[in-house]
């Protein structure tokens, strides 16, 4: 795990509350907004800050991923996502996120060997699948089976032991594609396909997903493997998003990493978060044709209508999500390579064009995000929409486990325990039922 450097207070802010003044330290990071240290606020003032949704709250110090929402910039350990998507591969990016630096040739080879030789899951883990209905949502199965890993790998659940943390991290990164592929196979009633050690991470995942044993040899397409690897890179980490914050909060209690990642999967499933890729493709299918776009733009703008343009908007990006730009190009390339002519790509592009010219979206700085184009590529690659968020979770496991590892060694971290603004009844006496 990366070495952790403490940030020193640069200056202070003075807060005056009802005539009393309080000095609050201000810390500056390496890039990005400074922070106001409010840890002593409650002790000094008897007051809490109030920030539902944490729109103005930094929950931790981190050196892993930096986002400049105004510029539409995303850096993994300082490297722009565009460069990594073009020049790197997913396991090299995983090493970078976990360790803070790009691997040299020996480190890269060893890391890839370690991951490759941990891809098989315990044979008894297979039995969990039989308890699910065949039509269970794959994310429901992922939550259950990944959480169940805690019951199989007891020798890597002592979070105080750096070696056990490393083994657990390796197991999760290595086995999550196997479990994801098994989830798909189970949903279509096909036998599970065991991982192979002669394939790359993305190739192995495609092989386990689309290969059918004892029938004909599945040849992994380089185009699809390259596209899959790039999609994994783009989804690997994203600062303190909802699911990453869930993993950190779960981990702050000392829960084992398998349970923490299962919690992250559950949070990612929501349509406002990682579930948006599935929701976006369903939305594009519902719109169906370019001529129906104005009707849906109007719905998205109508405050009385809960409909939102899925794949649009972001808590942090108030400019283009750089991942959406890479995915837009990848969508073109993959569909052209596969000879797929998907009218939904035309609908998506026209929708993007219209929305970006509409004052409502311009004023609210709503741009396409990572989920807007990913579904189109995944559909062309042969995945059902119900698997889209599973693929997001597969890739984000690297980010989640990197952030979890950073939290464990952070000396300032303690169990996460927010407070509240209480708006309920004050103390009152019990009344017998006869008197109610
Ligand atoms: C991911 O955090 C991350 O980093 C997440 C992620 C990652 O990699 O981990 O990037 C992955 O989750 C991407 C986002 C995927 N979700 C969607 O595409 C769902 C659609 N988007 C919205 O639900 C929304 O934009 C959010 C949830 C993404 C962000 O919501 P915020 O920051 O809480 O913004 P908001 O809801 O306060 O919206 C601000 C305004 C509101 O209008 P007003 O109340 O100010 O009048 O913009 C409007 C919203 O109604 N708005 C939209 C909209 N998104 C926001 N209106 C129409 N369509 C939309 N998509």
């Amino acid at each position: 795990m990366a070495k952790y450097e403490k940030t020193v207070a640069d200056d202070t802010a003075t807060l005056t509350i009802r005539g009393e003044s309080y000095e609050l330290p201000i810390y500056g990071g390496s890039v990005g907004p400074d922070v106001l240290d409010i840890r002593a606020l409650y002790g000094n003032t008897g007051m809490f800050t109030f920030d539902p949704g944490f729109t103005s709250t930094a929950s931790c110090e981190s050196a892993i991923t930096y986002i400049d929402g105004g510029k539409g910039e995303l850096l993994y350990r300082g490297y722009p996502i565009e460069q990594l998507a073009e020049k790197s591969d997913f396991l090299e990016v995983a090493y970078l996120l976990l360790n803070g630096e790009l691997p040299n040739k020996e480190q890269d080879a060893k890391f890839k060997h370690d991951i490759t030789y941990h891809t098989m899951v315990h044979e008894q883990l297979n039995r969990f699948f039989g308890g699910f209905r065949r039509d269970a949502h794959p994310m429901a199965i992922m939550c259950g089976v990944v959480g169940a890993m805690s019951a199989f790998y007891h020798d890597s659940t002592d979070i105080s032991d750096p070696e056990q943390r490393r083994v657990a991290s390796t197991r999760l990164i290595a086995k999550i594609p196997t479990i994801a592929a098994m989830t798909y196979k189970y949903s279509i009633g096909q036998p599970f396909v065991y991982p192979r050690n002669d394939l790359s991470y993305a190739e192995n995942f495609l092989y386990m997903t689309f290969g059918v044993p004892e029938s004909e040899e599945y040849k992994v397409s380089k185009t699809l493997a390259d596209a899959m690897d790039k999609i994994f890179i783009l989804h690997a980490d994203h600062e303190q998003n909802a699911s990453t914050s869930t993993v950190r909060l779960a981990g702050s209690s000392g829960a084992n990493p398998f349970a923490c990642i299962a919690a992250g999967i559950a949070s990612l499933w929501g349509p406002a978060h990682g579930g948006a890729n599935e929701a976006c493709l369903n939305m594009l299918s519902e719109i169906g044709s370019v001529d129906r776009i104005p009707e849906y733009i109007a719905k998205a703008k109508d405050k009385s209508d809960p409909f939102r343009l899925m794949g649009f908007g972001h808590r942090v990006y108030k400019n283009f999500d750089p991942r959406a730009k890479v995915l837009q190009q990848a969508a073109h390339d993959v569909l052209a390579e596969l000879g797929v002519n998907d009218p939904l790509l035309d609908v998506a592009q026209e929708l993007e064009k219209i929305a970006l010219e509409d004052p409502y979206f311009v004023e609210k700085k709503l741009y396409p995000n990572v989920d807007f184009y990913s579904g189109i590529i995944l559909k062309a690659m042969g995945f059902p929409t119900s698997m889209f968020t599973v693929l997001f979770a597969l890739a984000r496991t690297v980010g989640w486990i990197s952030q979890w590892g950073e939290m464990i060694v952070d000396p300032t971290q303690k169990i996460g325990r927010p407070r509240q603004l209480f708006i309920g009844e004050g103390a009152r006496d019990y009344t017998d039922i006869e008197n109610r």
Side-chain angles (χ1 to χ4, degrees), residues 55 67 234-235 237-238 240-244 268 271-274 276 300-301 303 307-318 321 323 360-361 364 366 369-371 392 396:
T55 47
I67 302 169
L234 294 169
H235 288 78
D237 194 48
H238 212 241
Q240 305 311 320
N241 58 84
S243 53
T244 297
L268 186 76
H273 190 13
K301 292 158 61 174
K303 281 284 153 243
F307 174 80
R308 284 195 167 176
L309 221 45
M310 302 317 279
F312 254 78
H314 200 276
R315 169 63 54 79
V316 176
Y317 289 121
K318 300 310 171 191
D321 179 335
R323 302 167 297 177
Y360 172 92
F361 292 89
K364 295 180 187 299
L366 303 175
N369 60 47
V370 67
D371 295 303
F392 197 150
R396 187 53 59 87

Side-chain angles (χ1 to χ4, degrees), residues 130 259 299:
K299 278 169 63 71

